[in-house]
C-alpha cells in the first residue's frame, strides 16, 4: 500500500489510474489516431476541416454506418454474418418492385422492405440456432443463395423509376455559412444518428443488450444462468437484417435507383469498420461509439487522401495497412493489459 | 471465434465429429456424387460423354487449387481470405515479366529462360506473402480472418494500383502451348491439380507438420504445451497456402491467357463452401483432401449438369449454397437420431 498522498498528488494519481484504464480501450487509441490523422489532413488539405466537407463525409458513410450498427450486435453475440449486403440488396429490390410496379404507398413499401430484411435475418438465426451450423458457414451459404436468387429473378436489371417520395431529398436543417457554402443535414445522416442511438440504448440500457454481451462472452455460462440463447440469436440476426434493410432503403434513396448488385463487396468494408472500433470476432466486447469511430477513421482516410489528390487506387492499400496495424495494436495492448489486470479493473462494456 | 463457442451439442462426445460432412463420411459424399451422376445421365441425353469429361477437367483445376490453398489454414483453425488476391498478384507478376522480357517473336532458348525467371519470381512472391501473413497470424495473435482481410485488401490494392485495374496479357507462345498440352489425353492443368492435391494430402496426413496443423486446429494451447512451436507451424501453414496459390496462378494464366486483379474473385467463398461440404471442420482440426476433392467434383457436376439443362449460372450458385445447408442439416439430424431413439426406449 502506498502512503496516503496529499491533495494534488492524489488528483494526479487518479488521473494516471484513469489513463491506465483508458489506455486499454481500443476507442482511446482510435480517437487519438483520428485526431492525429484529422490534424494532419487539416494542415495539408485546406478543404478538409470545413463543415460542408464533414457533413458530406457523414452522408457518404451513412449506409455503411447503419449496417455496421446491426453487424456490431451480431459480433457482440459471438457470431459473424457475411450475408448482410445480400440481405440489403434483396430488401431494397423487393421494396423497389412494390413501389414501382404495384405503386404501393410509402409506409407499406418501407414496412415490406424492413420485413424482408428481418425475415432473412431470422432465417440465418434459425440455421445457426436450430440446425447448429457455424455462423460464418451459414451466412456464406445464405449470401450465395439470396444474392444469386436476386440476380436470377431480377436478371440484373436495375429499377430506375422509383417514386418521388423515395428519391427526393429530405433536408432537416439547412444553413448558409459566411463563406457561402451551404450545410444540409439530410435524412441519411439523421437515420444514422437514430440507428446509433437505438443500438446504444438496446445494448447498454436494456436487459436484452446485457444478455447479448453475456452470451458473446460465454454462451454456455449464459445458458446455464437461464438466458434464452435461442431468442437472443433471433434478436441479434433479426436486428442485423433490419439494419441491412434500412441501409438498403437509404442507399436507394441516396442514388435514386435500385441496382441489384450495387452493394456487393461492401461486406468486408463494414466488417473492418466494426472491428477497427473494437468489436471482437470472439464476441462479448465492443461499444457503439467505438464502431462509429471505426467508420469515421475509414471515412476521413478516404476523403483526406482524395483531397490530397492521391490516386483512388491507392486507397485500398491504405485500408489494408490500417486494418493490420490497428488490429495488431489492439490485440497486443489488450494482451499486455490482461497480464497486468487486477480484479478491480475488469473491462467495462459501457 | 473458435474458442468462444462450445461445440454444437450434437457433436459433443459423438464419434460423428470425426466424420463431419455427411452421414457416413466419404461414403455419403461418394454416394451423393454417384447419385447426381446417375440422375444427370438419366435426365440429360449424352451427359456421360468425353466432351463432358473434358470440360469437367478444364473447369475444375482453378477452383480445386484455390480450395486446396484454403484447406490448409482451415485445418489449423484459421482462414486465408487473401488466396485470390495472392493468386492474381502472382499471375500478374509472371505475365508482366514474360510480356516485357519476351515479346512475341523472342527466340526459343531466351524465351525459355524468361519463363523460368517469371516462374521463380511468382513463386518467390507467393512465399514472401505467405511468410508475412503467417508471421502476423502467429506472432500478433490477431484473428486470421482479420489479418488476411488486411493482407487481401493490401495485396489487391497494390495490384489494382499498379495495373489501374487493367488486365495484362502477352504470354509467350511456348508457355501457352505447354499450358494447353494434353499428355495422355488429360489436360496438363488437371494433372497439376492432381499432383498438388496428392502433395497437400501427404503433407497434411503423413508429416509431423500436418499433424501439428490439425492439433493446432483442435486446441492451440494444448499443442503449445506439448512442445510444438505453434508459431513456426502457423508461419508454415500460411506459406504452404500461398505456395498452392502459385500453382493456382499458373492455372489462371493458362485458362485466361492473361492476368487481372479481379479474375476469380467470386471463388473466395465457394472455396470455403467446398471445404465444409467435403467434411473439413470450420473450427479446424479435422478434414481430408480426399473429402475436399469429392466435394469439388459434386459442385462441378452440379454446375455442368444444370448448365446443360440451360439453368442460369446464378441459380447454380444458389443451388450450391442450398446443397451445403442441406448437407449440414442432414449431418445434424443424423447425429441427433440415436439420442432420440434412446429416449423413447
Amino acid at each position: 500500500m502506498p502512503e496516503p498522498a496529499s491533495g494534488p498528488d492524489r488528483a494526479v494519481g487518479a488521473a494516471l489510474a484513469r489513463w491506465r484504464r483508458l489506455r486499454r480501450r481500443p476507442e482511446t487509441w482510435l480517437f487519438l489516431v483520428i485526431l492525429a490523422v484529422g490534424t494532419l489532413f487539416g494542415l495539408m488539405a485546406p478543404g478538409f476541416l470545413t463543415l460542408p466537407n464533414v457533413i458530406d463525409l457523414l452522408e457518404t458513410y451513412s449506409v455503411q454506418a447503419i449496417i455496421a450498427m446491426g453487424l456490431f450486435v451480431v459480433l457482440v453475440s459471438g457470431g459473424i454474418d457475411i450475408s448482410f449486403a445480400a440481405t440489403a440488396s434483396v430488401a431494397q429490390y423487393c421494396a423497389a418492385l412494390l413501389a414501382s410496379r404495384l405503386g404501393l404507398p410509402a409506409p407499406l413499401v418501407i414496412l415490406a422492405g424492413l420485413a424482408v430484411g428481418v425475415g432473412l435475418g431470422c432465417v440465418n438465426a434459425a440455421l445457426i440456432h436450430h440446425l447448429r451450423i457455424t455462423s460464418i458457414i451459414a451466412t456464406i451459404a445464405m449470401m450465395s443463395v439470396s444474392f444469386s436468387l436476386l440476380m436470377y429473378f431480377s436478371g440484373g436489371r436495375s429499377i430506375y423509376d422509383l417514386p418521388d417520395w423515395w428519391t427526393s431529398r429530405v433536408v432537416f436543417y439547412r444553413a448558409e455559412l459566411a463563406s457561402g457554402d451551404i450545410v444540409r443535414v439530410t435524412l441519411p445522416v439523421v437515420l444514422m444518428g437514430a440507428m446509433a442511438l437505438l443500438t446504444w440504448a438496446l445494448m447498454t440500457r436494456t436487459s436484452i443488450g446485457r444478455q447479448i454481451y453475456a452470451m458473446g462472452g460465454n454462451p454456455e455460462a449464459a445458458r446455464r444462468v437461464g438466458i434464452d440463447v435461442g431468442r437472443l440469436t433471433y434478436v441479434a440476426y433479426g436486428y442485423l437484417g433490419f439494419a441491412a434493410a434500412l441501409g438498403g432503403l437509404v442507399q436507394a434513396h441516396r442514388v435514386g435507383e435500385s441496382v441489384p448488385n450495387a452493394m456487393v463487396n461492401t461486406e468486408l468494408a463494414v466488417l473492418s469498420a466494426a472491428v477497427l472500433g473494437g468489436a471482437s470476432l470472439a464476441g462479448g466486447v465492443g461499444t457503439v461509439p467505438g464502431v462509429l469511430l471505426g467508420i469515421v477513421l475509414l471515412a476521413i482516410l478516404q476523403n483526406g487522401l482524395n483531397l490530397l489528390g492521391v490516386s483512388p487506387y491507392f486507397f485500398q492499400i491504405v485500408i489494408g495497412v490500417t486494418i493490420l496495424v490497428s488490429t495488431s495494436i489492439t490485440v497486443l495492448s489488450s494482451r499486455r493489459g490482461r497480464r497486468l489486470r487486477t480484479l478491480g479493473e475488469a473491462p467495462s462494456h459501457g | 471465434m473458435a474458442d468462444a463457442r462450445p461445440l454444437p451439442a450434437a457433436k459433443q462426445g459423438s464419434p460423428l465429429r470425426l466424420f463431419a460432412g455427411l452421414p457416413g463420411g466419404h461414403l455419403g459424399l461418394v454416394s451423393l456424387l454417384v447419385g447426381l451422376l446417375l440422375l444427370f445421365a438419366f435426365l440429360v441425353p449424352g451427359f456421360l460423354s468425353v466432351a463432358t469429361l473434358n470440360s469437367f477437367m478444364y473447369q475444375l483445376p482453378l477452383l480445386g487449387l484455390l480450395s486446396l490453398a484454403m484447406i490448409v489454414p482451415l485445418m489449423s483453425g484459421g482462414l486465408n481470405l487473401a488466396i485470390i488476391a495472392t493468386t492474381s498478384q502472382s499471375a500478374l507478376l509472371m505475365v508482366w515479366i514474360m510480356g516485357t522480357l519476351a515479346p512475341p517473336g523472342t527466340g526459343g532458348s531466351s524465351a525459355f529462360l524468361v519463363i523460368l525467371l517469371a516462374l521463380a519470381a511468382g513463386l518467390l512472391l507467393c512465399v514472401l506473402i505467405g511468410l508475412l501473413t503467417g508471421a502476423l497470424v502467429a506472432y500478433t495473435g490477431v484473428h486470421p480472418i482479420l489479418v488476411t482481410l488486411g493482407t487481401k485488401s493490401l495485396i489487391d490494392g497494390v495490384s489494382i494500383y499498379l495495373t489501374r485495374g487493367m488486365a495484362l496479357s502477352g504470354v509467350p507462345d511456348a508457355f501457352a502451348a505447354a499450358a494447353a498440352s494434353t499428355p495422355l489425353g488429360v489436360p496438363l492443368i488437371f494433372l497439376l491439380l492432381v499432383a498438388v492435391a496428392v502433395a497437400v494430402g501427404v503433407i497434411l496426413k503423413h508429416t509431423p507438420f500436418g499433424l501439428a496443423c490439425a492439433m493446432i486446429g483442435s486446441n492451440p494451447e494444448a499443442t503449445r504445451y506439448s512442445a510444438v512451436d505453434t508459431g513456426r507451424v502457423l508461419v508454415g501453414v500460411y506459406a504452404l497456402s500461398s505456395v498452392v496459390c502459385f500453382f493456382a496462378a499458373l492455372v489462371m494464366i493458362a485458362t485466361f491467357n492473361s492476368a487481372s486483379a479481379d479474375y476469380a474473385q467470386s471463388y473466395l467463398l465457394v472455396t470455403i463452401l467446398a471445404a465444409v461440404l467435403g467434411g473439413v471442420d470450420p473450427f479446424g482440426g479435422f478434414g481430408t483432401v480426399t473429402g475436399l476433392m469429392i466435394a469439388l467434383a459434386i459442385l462441378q457436376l452440379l454446375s455442368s449438369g444444370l448448365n446443360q439443362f440451360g439453368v442460369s449460372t446464378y441459380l447454380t450458385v444458389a443451388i450450391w449454397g442450398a446443397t451445403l445447408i442441406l448437407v449440414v442439416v442432414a449431418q445434424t439430424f443424423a447425429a441427433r437420431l440415436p439420442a432420440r431413439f434412446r429416449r423413447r426406449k
Side-chain angles (χ1 to χ4, degrees):
Chain A
M1 250 337 249
E3 55 197 80
S6 57
D9 278 357
R10 193 185 296 161
V12 170
L16 265 180
R18 206 183 159 76
W19 164 241
R20 259 186 232 119
R21 251 198 328 275
L22 275 178
R23 201 175 56 183
R24 230 164 278 141
R25 304 277 299 271
E27 291 88 344
T28 315
W29 289 106
L30 209 53
F31 188 67
L32 292 179
V33 170
I34 288 175
L35 275 188
V37 174
T39 322
L40 193 69
F41 283 142
L43 291 176
M44 289 164 70
F48 181 73
L49 279 181
T50 56
L51 200 54
N53 187 43
V54 171
I55 298 279
D56 265 6
L57 257 185
L58 282 179
E59 202 188 314
T60 315
Y61 277 82
S62 55
V63 175
Q64 285 195 22
I66 289 172
I67 302 181
M69 287 299 129
L71 181 62
F72 158 72
V73 175
V74 166
L75 286 177
V76 168
S77 81
I80 191 169
D81 191 333
I82 309 285
S83 69
F84 53 81
T87 305
S89 308
V90 173
Q92 181 197 77
Y93 202 81
C94 287
L97 271 184
L98 289 179
S100 68
R101 300 288 173 273
L102 300 181
L104 290 184
L108 267 182
V109 169
I110 294 173
L111 261 184
L114 295 179
V116 168
V118 174
L120 284 174
C122 287
V123 173
N124 277 333
L127 289 177
I128 291 160
H129 180 67
H130 298 298
L131 300 176
R132 310 267 166 205
I133 306 179
T134 317
S135 55
I136 188 165
I137 303 298
T139 53
I140 287 177
M142 273 305 287
M143 178 192 77
S144 30
V145 171
S146 52
F147 182 68
S148 326
L149 285 181
L150 173 67
M151 288 309 275
Y152 176 69
F153 283 114
S154 70
R157 280 184 298 273
S158 308
I159 297 180
Y160 298 108
D161 51 343
L162 293 182
D164 286 340
W165 59 261
W166 196 340
T167 54
S168 58
R169 220 160 178 209
V170 184
V171 179
F172 284 87
Y173 174 80
R174 191 171 180 282
E176 202 167 328
L177 295 185
S179 58
D181 292 320
I182 294 170
V183 175
R184 291 192 191 88
V185 177
T186 52
L187 185 65
V189 177
V190 172
L191 280 179
M192 175 176 79
M195 199 61 196
L197 263 182
L198 179 67
T199 313
W200 176 80
L202 172 76
M203 295 305 281
T204 59
R205 293 291 178 269
T206 67
S207 72
I208 289 183
R210 305 308 302 176
Q211 289 179 4
I212 290 179
Y213 273 110
M215 170 179 154
N218 187 335
E220 189 53 30
R223 197 178 63 79
R224 293 191 186 187
V225 165
I227 292 176
D228 186 347
V229 175
R231 197 189 60 167
L232 288 187
T233 310
Y234 277 96
V235 170
Y237 289 88
Y239 189 74
L240 173 55
F242 170 80
L246 187 62
L249 296 179
V250 171
Q251 197 262 350
H253 164 75
R254 287 196 59 226
V255 299
E257 62 193 33
S258 174
V259 183
N261 57 358
M263 318 209 16
V264 261
N265 293 336
T266 56
E267 294 96 356
L268 298 184
V270 174
L271 181 63
S272 35
V275 172
L276 274 181
S280 156
L281 293 188
V285 292
T287 62
V288 170
V291 176
L292 284 180
L293 286 177
I295 297 246
V296 168
L297 179 61
L298 287 184
I300 62 174
L301 275 177
Q302 178 158 29
N303 182 257
L305 290 176
N306 249 339
L307 289 181
L308 285 181
V310 176
S311 151
Y313 293 113
F314 195 71
F315 179 59
Q316 208 169 4
I317 303 180
V318 177
I319 289 199
V321 172
T322 315
I323 296 174
L324 286 178
V325 171
S326 66
T327 49
S328 306
I329 290 180
T330 310
V331 170
L332 290 178
S333 69
S334 75
R335 199 194 270 172
R336 193 171 59 224
R338 201 157 51 226
R339 227 170 269 154
L340 301 173
R341 187 189 297 157
T342 52
L343 279 177
E345 285 188 282
S348 73
H349 300 305
Chain B
M1 190 170 63
D3 45 17
R5 260 168 299 157
L7 278 175
K11 277 185 165 185
Q12 269 170 350
S14 148
L16 264 168
R17 177 154 160 73
L18 295 174
F19 301 101
L22 253 199
H26 293 167
L27 208 62
L29 278 177
V30 170
S31 38
L32 180 58
L33 180 64
V34 173
L36 280 173
L37 198 62
L38 290 179
L39 182 73
F40 283 128
F42 182 68
L43 291 176
V44 184
F47 186 75
L48 288 179
S49 65
V50 179
T52 312
L53 185 67
N54 248 336
S55 77
F56 184 84
M57 288 196 292
Y58 275 110
Q59 286 170 3
L60 197 58
L62 186 54
L63 181 58
L65 284 168
L66 289 172
S67 305
L68 282 171
M70 186 61 99
I71 191 181
V72 184
L74 270 178
M75 286 284 284
S76 74
L79 205 64
N80 189 355
L81 295 176
I83 49 172
I84 313 277
T86 311
T87 304
S88 316
Q89 190 161 62
S90 167
L92 278 170
L93 178 70
M94 288 192 274
V95 171
W96 180 72
I97 290 180
M98 291 193 277
T100 35
L101 294 184
T106 313
S109 62
S110 61
F112 181 69
L113 275 180
V114 167
I115 291 175
L116 271 191
L117 177 71
L119 293 188
L123 184 60
L124 186 68
L125 177 73
C126 285
V127 171
L128 279 180
I129 292 176
L131 290 179
L132 177 76
T133 315
L136 280 171
V137 171
Y139 300 116
T140 61
V142 181
H143 195 284
I145 291 186
L146 297 179
V147 171
T148 55
L149 185 65
T151 51
K152 170 192 144 63
S153 183
L154 183 61
I155 297 167
D156 266 343
V158 171
S159 299
I160 295 174
Y161 180 61
L162 292 178
T163 61
R164 294 288 185 264
M166 310 287 270
L168 286 184
S169 53
V171 181
D173 299 337
F175 185 90
S181 65
T182 53
L184 303 173
V186 181
L188 187 66
I189 53 174
F190 189 75
L191 291 179
L192 183 66
L193 169 68
V194 173
V196 174
V198 169
V200 172
V202 168
I203 291 176
L204 285 182
K205 201 103 209 172
H206 299 290
T207 62
F209 169 77
L211 184 63
C213 253
M215 278 162 60
I216 291 178
S218 305
N219 191 336
E221 278 301 290
T223 316
R224 204 162 62 83
Y225 284 119
S226 325
V228 172
D229 186 345
T230 52
R232 231 178 56 189
V233 173
L234 280 176
V235 173
V237 164
Y238 289 90
L240 178 60
S241 167
S242 290
V243 168
V244 177
C245 287
F246 163 71
F247 294 106
L250 290 180
V251 171
M252 189 183 266
I253 301 177
T255 314
F256 299 111
N257 254 324
S258 60
S260 157
D262 39 54
Y263 285 163
Q265 287 285 2
S266 58
Y267 276 164
L268 180 58
L269 299 175
V270 179
T271 59
I272 302 178
L273 286 193
V276 174
L277 183 61
V280 177
D281 189 330
F283 290 133
F286 298 93
T288 59
V289 170
T290 324
L292 174 68
M293 286 298 132
I294 303 174
L296 281 169
I298 291 177
L299 291 183
Q300 189 59 52
L301 197 65
L302 270 175
S303 127
S304 334
L306 293 172
N307 202 9
Q308 301 216 358
F309 270 126
V311 173
S312 112
T313 344
Y314 290 123
L315 211 52
T316 309
V317 177
I319 291 174
W320 282 0
T323 312
L324 178 81
I325 293 179
L326 287 179
V327 164
V328 182
V329 169
Q331 171 199 347
T332 312
F333 280 108
R336 275 187 200 168
L337 223 50
R340 248 180 223 168
F341 277 120
R342 232 171 289 135
R343 222 173 291 150
R344 285 205 189 130
K345 266 180 194 168

